[in-house]
Amino acid sequence: DSHIQYERVGADVTMKCGSMDWDAAVTWTANGTDIDESHLNGSYLILKNVDLTQSGQYSCYEGSSWHLKYQTYLRVGMPPKEPVLMCRSNNYPKGFYCSWHLSAPTYIPNSFNISVIHVTREMVCEKDVFPKNRCHIRYLQLFSTVKYKVTLTVTNALGKNSTTVTFDEFAIVKPDPPESVVAKPVPNNPRRLEVSWQNPSSWPDPESFPLKFFLRYRPLILDQWQHVELSDGTSHTITDAYAGKEYIIQVAAKDNDIGTWSDWSVAVHATPWTEEPKHLTTEAQVTETTSASTSSFMPPPTTKICDKGAVVGSGAVAVCWTAGLVLAAYGVLFI
Amino acid sequence: MHQLSKGLSSPGRRRAGSWVPMTAAWAMAAADSPSAALRRRDLCSRGIRLAGKMRSDVVDLLDTYVERQGLDASASVAAVEGVPVAAAERWDEQTGTQRLLENLAAYRAFRALLAQMLEEQREQLGEADAALGRALAAVLLQVSAFTYHLEELLRLESRGPPSEEGAGPPPLPHLGLFERKLRGLGVLRELAQWAVRSARDLRQLAKPGPGSGSAPSLAESP
């Protein structure tokens, strides 16, 4: 008979050759390869301090006839450590889901059992087809002050372990990030970027359970983010962008009243509108030139290259000098 | 309480007691009129803002209360008789009128409970903890204002608010000091939940369409 035998890493394993006597002449194989007699005690196979590499099919044959007398599949593994469990509601007020994983592999099959208790009621957590380590629960009550208690037990052939989390209905509410984030330049506005996004599709009723949003943006060349919190609407115009600089923009969402912020959305990139061809000027010199010029003169877009702190480096200073000379020449022409 | 309610009405509004009695038919027509719809939406949005402010102040009051009363913030408090429980089953299936009636009953009860807590706190601590007393009084004022708001919304729904039953919360069994403190914790926790629920209820109510307050069914699979 062939069967499966589970043993713990580091254990000493003794295999008997079925009903054969201890002093019978036998040959053991592991995955079809003969095992050296040094591992035998009579007809018993002795494996000391087993490790994962020793998992496999073990067969015992009668000495002279080579009849198969015993076969087993040895699976070396570990009992489960305490699992990691988290619960979250990204579709409030419909329900919430719980997902789990093991902090270390066991190398053998595990089964999971989850129980959800609220007040005195045990609620059904329906297992998801994918991913396998997740289940979801429908809320039977809303606005309860009674905490939920969720216990996950993981069991395998070598042992079991469990963990429990308790939480308020409001505390686990965390929407998915906003979707379809788009950032576009605004024509003829060198310092503006128009950002729009959509509510996460998993949020079932944004009209009754509105979300608020947090937008962050920075030019690629800087590390520091600017932040804007928006209590309604799914668009915003950035008005203080550095002209000509590529920006990275992200948005997060939160229920207006409860729970925590979502993760940041996928980042989008955009550069504010610039006039073609690009001119390098300072703001002060544009004003000077404009006041001396005819009404048809269009001041070139401002760049921030010459502004203090916008760009660090001696290259920026050289650009400022050059720009200054060019505009001084322009100014002389128009006076 | 009535004086408080009067003081909070917007300028030029008639006092609640001077409304002319209406026939049912006229009331139905009035409730459906554009001006009634606008008034309802206005009351709902103001009510939502009031509920938001109230919740924020109750959460702050909870912190103060727990600290001043020497309680453990994570202590479980069993449901206490007379404290309106915010938890609702089939919340999404409630009609607008049901929402208003449940809210009104709750806030009338909280009004009386908070008044009681304020009195007990003054007896217990006297002037030693004026900050807690002021915070309780401020929340009581907001609860009164919200109650009035709900009464106005019910009038718009062409069913006047039910009369207040009795003179206050049911008489309490004699509670020791610690039990009273725990009860107060329970009152404030439920009030914080109610403030969130009320904002949601009013948003449902503010939705256009017949039977305002009927939300998409939660029975659909996620």
Side-chain angles (χ1 to χ4, degrees):
Chain A
D1 278 337
S2 176
H3 70 297
I4 301 175
Q5 183 173 346
Y6 294 98
E7 298 289 345
R8 202 169 175 146
V9 168
D12 295 338
V13 180
T14 299
M15 289 187 199
K16 290 186 183 176
C17 188
S19 55
M20 300 289 285
D21 292 333
W22 175 80
D23 57 357
V26 299
T27 302
W28 283 92
T29 64
N31 298 325
T33 304
D34 286 8
I35 297 175
D36 187 75
E37 283 182 6
S38 61
H39 292 282
L40 300 185
N41 177 359
S43 65
Y44 298 172
L45 174 64
I46 312 292
L47 301 172
K48 285 193 177 295
N49 191 24
V50 293
D51 62 38
L52 295 171
T53 62
Q54 288 172 289
S55 294
Q57 191 173 63
Y58 288 79
S59 309
C60 177
Y61 300 90
E62 191 179 13
S64 51
S65 66
W66 275 93
H67 283 148
L68 178 66
K69 289 295 181 182
Y70 177 74
Q71 195 168 64
T72 187
Y73 199 92
L74 177 67
R75 298 283 303 264
V76 181
M78 305 282 288
K81 291 199 167 135
E82 188 177 326
V84 178
L85 173 66
M86 70 83 98
C87 299
R88 180 182 155 215
S89 176
N90 66 340
N91 62 343
Y92 189 81
K94 276 191 176 174
F96 63 95
Y97 71 84
C98 293
S99 68
W100 56 88
H101 66 271
L102 293 173
S103 52
T106 61
Y107 305 99
I108 58 176
N110 307 297
S111 65
F112 298 89
N113 185 51
I114 192 161
S115 84
V116 181
I117 310 274
H118 183 240
V119 192
T120 52
R121 213 158 26 175
E122 172 134 19
M123 300 168 75
V124 173
C125 194
E126 292 177 31
K127 287 222 172 133
D128 288 352
V129 172
F130 184 80
K132 283 191 332 186
N133 60 336
R134 201 159 114 160
C135 66
H136 59 268
I137 298 124
R138 283 176 225 270
Y139 280 121
L140 300 176
Q141 261 189 359
L142 291 178
F143 314 111
S144 173
T145 51
V146 177
K147 288 183 192 289
Y148 289 80
K149 181 175 162 183
V150 181
T151 300
L152 175 77
T153 304
V154 55
T155 308
N156 68 20
L158 300 175
K160 66 199 272 187
N161 212 324
S162 67
T163 189
T164 298
V165 294
T166 55
F167 50 83
D168 291 316
E169 175 188 318
F170 292 171
I172 61 164
V173 176
K174 178 180 173 181
D176 288 329
E179 295 172 5
S180 308
V181 182
V182 172
K184 292 190 294 197
V186 178
N188 303 307
N189 277 281
R191 302 199 63 191
R192 292 188 173 216
L193 286 168
E194 214 166 66
V195 188
S196 65
W197 58 90
Q198 288 177 5
N199 290 310
S201 50
S202 51
W203 196 252
D205 188 5
E207 208 182 322
S208 306
F209 296 82
L211 296 172
K212 59 182 177 184
F213 301 96
F214 216 81
L215 190 135
R216 71 175 185 180
Y217 58 97
R218 64 173 173 86
L220 285 183
I221 53 174
L222 294 181
D223 289 331
Q224 195 155 10
W225 294 94
Q226 301 271 77
H227 292 96
V228 180
E229 186 168 333
L230 302 153
S231 58
D232 56 20
T234 52
S235 63
H236 176 71
T237 302
I238 296 166
T239 57
D240 62 350
Y242 291 128
K245 296 297 162 204
E246 186 180 351
Y247 270 75
I248 178 169
I249 298 145
Q250 290 178 292
V251 192
K254 180 184 168 304
D255 177 87
N256 220 39
D257 303 313
I258 62 175
T260 58
W261 288 98
S262 72
D263 293 340
W264 290 107
S265 69
V266 168
V268 294
H269 293 243
T271 306
W273 174 91
T274 51
E275 191 179 16
E276 291 293 335
K278 289 185 190 172
H279 297 280
L280 301 173
T281 71
T282 61
E283 275 186 330
Q285 284 161 322
V286 165
T287 313
E288 206 176 81
T289 313
T290 312
S291 63
S293 70
T294 63
S295 58
S296 62
F297 177 74
M298 290 291 293
T302 309
T303 70
K304 286 287 188 176
I305 293 173
C306 297
D307 283 356
K308 195 186 275 192
V311 173
V312 176
S314 57
V317 174
V319 166
C320 285
W321 259 115
T322 312
L325 284 172
V326 165
L327 279 166
Y330 256 118
V332 164
L333 275 174
F334 278 102
I335 290 169
Chain B
M1 290 306 147
H2 183 60
Q3 285 298 320
L4 274 170
S5 302
K6 269 172 56 179
L8 289 159
S9 59
S10 48
R13 285 220 70 248
R14 277 186 279 172
R15 285 172 44 196
S18 68
W19 279 91
V20 174
M22 299 179 286
T23 63
W26 192 86
M28 290 293 284
D32 290 342
S33 73
S35 60
L38 277 171
R39 174 88 180 123
R40 185 212 280 148
R41 215 171 321 149
D42 177 53
L43 280 170
C44 284
S45 27
R46 285 198 279 142
I48 289 164
R49 283 196 295 277
L50 190 51
K53 171 81 170 79
M54 189 163 49
R55 190 217 176 184
S56 169
D57 287 356
V58 170
V59 166
D60 290 343
L61 172 57
L62 259 167
D63 289 341
T64 308
Y65 187 86
V66 159
E67 191 199 318
R68 296 288 207 267
Q69 302 287 34
L71 296 170
D72 176 2
S74 60
S76 312
V77 180
V80 181
E81 193 186 336
V83 179
V85 170
E89 299 201 3
R90 296 196 168 87
W91 173 86
D92 56 319
E93 295 172 14
Q94 289 189 336
T95 63
T97 305
Q98 275 173 316
R99 293 177 195 281
L100 287 172
L101 288 172
E102 285 193 23
N103 271 265
L104 183 61
Y107 285 94
R108 279 176 172 172
F110 280 121
R111 193 171 54 188
L113 286 163
L114 286 170
Q116 219 168 39
M117 279 173 67
L118 194 53
E119 201 177 303
E120 283 169 3
Q121 188 263 343
R122 281 173 185 154
E123 281 170 13
Q124 176 201 333
L125 294 165
E127 290 306 309
D129 199 344
L132 180 57
R134 277 196 302 272
L136 269 168
V139 166
L140 174 54
L141 190 63
Q142 290 180 65
V143 166
S144 300
F146 197 71
T147 306
Y148 176 75
H149 224 80
L150 294 166
E151 288 166 351
E152 284 300 294
L153 274 163
L154 269 163
R155 284 189 190 94
L156 269 184
E157 299 294 308
S158 70
R159 61 173 292 160
S163 60
E164 298 204 42
E165 293 162 17
L172 294 168
H174 174 71
L175 290 177
L177 177 61
F178 186 66
E179 283 82 8
R180 272 186 275 142
K181 288 181 183 183
L182 280 185
R183 187 167 192 262
L185 182 62
V187 168
L188 294 177
R189 278 183 181 161
E190 285 297 338
L191 179 56
Q193 297 293 99
W194 264 105
V196 175
R197 176 177 162 178
S198 300
R200 314 286 198 193
D201 280 320
L202 292 178
R203 279 194 198 103
Q204 293 287 76
L205 206 67
K207 278 181 176 174
S212 60
S214 55
S217 170
L218 292 179
E220 294 154 17
S221 55

